């Protein structure tokens, strides 16, 4: 086989399975109103849960932060670690009540780099089946044995841990809030399990930070846990914090180990200082945003009540991530198209992002949505479901 053939075959297979993916161009945004392909849409797919990506203080910090230059010019260990990076790490450690924090270029990089730096061949990495690609890839690349347990099943995790033998070490990795389902991991049970098996618990809280827990400290704090229970947690800066990058926070020795050995940190140019300044401003706003979190909680409750009343098939979730199940890829795509015609942007999520037969519309709510936006969304979703099923029962599209 030659390269053009391989690429064409892959594309044909995605075509056949209705799994082509396209990037849409956002021409303009104002709050949750965006312009896409010349049409104004109400956005229900961004992870900007607190609406901080456009917050005046965050935008001003970015602007002011680049007066002396844009790029950090090198990796952190060379000459790319500026005072503002240090201030951001300290602020995050303080917020999360962790002894130390380390900045990475993105959450994907941080997961890959952290797990690879911690795990060796002969170790066992136990993971929730619905963990994100970066955690799964990280375990595979580390050379450790990857064992996955059924979603949210701490007893399943215990069974997988029990298979661990030899001199290697064990690590349990889980999302705090699951990115496609919106539910929260059984963190207290996993922490107990980790303690009894001398395993290290790593929590990816990309979608919990800023949203859950006291002062928005995330799912770990919400579960009443601390660094002694969860020695390392990932906080991304590109979701509720509205900027870009990621922090791994936790035990000082572990974080120190990552600072010197995590390849995605050591061998990658540090985040532009202005972005660190914007993230620092965002963290300060997020810490004091109980009002935004209260709005978000009330929108989530409003959405769930109305959606269940309308007979929509929701997964259990109390977070701003609300999965409206379609199961079938084509139904999900049709629903997304009907919604767009109604001026609502919700992405259809299909395998391999979710398991086979679990296609859905992933709705995300933010503090910038209004109650009337949510009512309009539910109405549009119910009509989209009816329209998509009417087409299906009338025959193939
Ligand atoms: C649970 C989870 N972890 C990590 C990441 C990666 O973070 P980033 O977007 O900062 O690379 C994502 C998605 O983006 C995610 O959903």
């Amino acid at each position: 086989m030659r390269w053009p053939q391989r690429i064409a075959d892959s594309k044909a297979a995605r075509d056949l399975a209705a799994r082509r993916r396209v990037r849409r161009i956002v021409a303009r945004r104002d709050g949750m109103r965006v312009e896409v392909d010349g049409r104004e849409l109400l956005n229900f797919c961004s992870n900007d849960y607190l609406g901080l990506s456009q917050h005046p203080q965050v935008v001003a910090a970015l602007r002011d932060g680049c007066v002396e230059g844009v790029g950090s010019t090198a990796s952190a260990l060379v000459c790319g670690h500026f005072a503002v990076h240090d201030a951001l790490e300290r602020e995050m450690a303080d917020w999360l009540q962790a002894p130390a924090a380390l900045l990475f270029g993105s959450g994907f990089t941080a997961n890959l780099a952290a797990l690879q730096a911690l795990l060796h061949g002969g170790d066992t990495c136990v993971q929730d089946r619905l963990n994100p690609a970066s955690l799964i890839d990280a375990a595979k690349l580390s050379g450790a044995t990857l064992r996955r347990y059924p979603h949210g099943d701490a007893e399943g995790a215990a069974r997988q841990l029990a298979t661990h033998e030899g001199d290697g070490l064990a690590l349990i990795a889980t999302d705090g809030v699951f990115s496609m389902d919106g539910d929260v991991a059984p963190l207290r049970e996993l922490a107990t399990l980790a303690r009894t098996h001398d395993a290290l618990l790593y929590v990816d809280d990309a979608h919990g930070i800023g949203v859950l827990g006291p002062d928005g400290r995330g799912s770990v704090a919400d579960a009443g846990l601390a660094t002694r229970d969860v020695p390392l947690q990932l906080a991304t800066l590109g979701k509720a914090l509205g900027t870009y990058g990621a922090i791994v926070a936790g035990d000082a020795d572990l974080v120190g180990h990552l600072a010197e050995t995590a390849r995605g940190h050591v061998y990658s140019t540090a985040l532009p200082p202005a972005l660190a300044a914007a993230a620092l401003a965002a963290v300060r706003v997020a810490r004091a945003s109980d009002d935004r979190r209260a709005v978000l909680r009330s929108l989530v409750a409003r959405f769930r009540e109305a959606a269940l009343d309308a007979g929509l098939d929701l997964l259990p979730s109390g977070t701003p991530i609300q999965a409206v199940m379609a199961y079938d890829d084509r139904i999900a795509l049709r629903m997304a198209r009907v919604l767009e015609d109604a001026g609502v942007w919700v992405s259809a999520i299909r395998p391999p992002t979710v398991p086979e037969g679990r296609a859905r519309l992933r709705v995300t709510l933010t503090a910038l949505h209004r109650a009337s936006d949510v009512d309009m969304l539910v109405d549009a979703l119910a009509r989209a479901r009816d329209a998509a099923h009417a087409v299906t029962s009338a025959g193939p599209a």
Side-chain angles (χ1 to χ4, degrees), residues 9 31 121 159 236 242 257 378:
D9 285 355
R159 281 193 294 277
T236 53
H257 173 75
V378 172

Side-chain angles (χ1 to χ4, degrees), residues 11 23-24 49 83 105 109 142 155 169-170 179 186 206 225 238 250 254 265 268 296 306 321 337 340 365 371:
K11 190 169 160 191
R23 294 183 301 176
R24 310 293 301 279
Y49 304 119
T109 305
S142 72
E155 284 174 16
L169 299 174
S179 56
L225 302 174
L254 289 171
H265 176 73
S268 185
L296 206 40
I321 302 170
R337 228 170 280 139
E340 192 170 324
L365 300 167

